[in-house]
Amino acid sequence: MIDSLILEFDRALRVLAGAPRAARSSPASGVPESELDATERVHAAALMRVNHVGEVCAQALYQGQALTARDAAARSSLARAAREEEDHLAWSAARIRELGGRPSLLNPLWYAGSLAMGVAAGALGDKWNLAFLAETERQVEEHLTGHLEALPAADHRTRAVVKAMRADEAKHRDTALSLGAAEFPEPVKRAMRFAAKVMTTVAYRV
Ligand SMILES: [Fe+2]
Ligand SMILES: [Fe+2]
């Protein structure tokens, strides 16, 4: 337990230091940079900051899962999803930099909040822990669809990253469901949606 805590703490520091390692190259590589005006760049960078915060939270959620999941098979599937989330973290951080933006200053706060929620969900047992993951992934997927509408039409590099992330999130949700995720009651889903709304609104600016 102590070993895994130290390992997870090390991971947390790497996430917050903005030094994630992508195993897969960014979907933006090979996509030419488009001509964006200043407003479009600022807007696209802010949207990617929101997505980056989402990925910071994903790291914390999957870490919470790693600390609490009881079933070994579930742990290994979730570890695979967590590695893909690390790619997302690296890709979105890189795209923010390219657009001239910066990650959220509140990342330690987002991280701590998500870790607490992940551990709390984990304490309820695997099926609720997985329910939390499945619902999170579903909401992230919807949210990324919204971003594809909101992003400048010409920003093909950002779009390539968002599309690839969305495809992975759908897979992660299926993984959580296939591992036996329960279904949250509607009020819980609404509360999660509200928390996500607060996070995305703040992260767009800070
Ligand atoms: Fe992700
Ligand atoms: Fe995901």
Side-chain angles (χ1 to χ4, degrees), residues 170-192:
K171 243 177 17 187
H172 299 162
R173 179 173 57 97
D174 290 344
T175 301
L177 290 175
S178 72
L179 290 170
E183 174 94 15
F184 276 143
E186 214 38 61
V188 176
K189 292 183 187 175
R190 270 204 300 277
M192 286 175 68

Side-chain angles (χ1 to χ4, degrees), residues 61-72:
L61 287 186
Y62 277 96
Q63 263 192 295
Q65 171 78 42
L67 289 170
T68 55
R70 290 153 183 82
D71 179 68

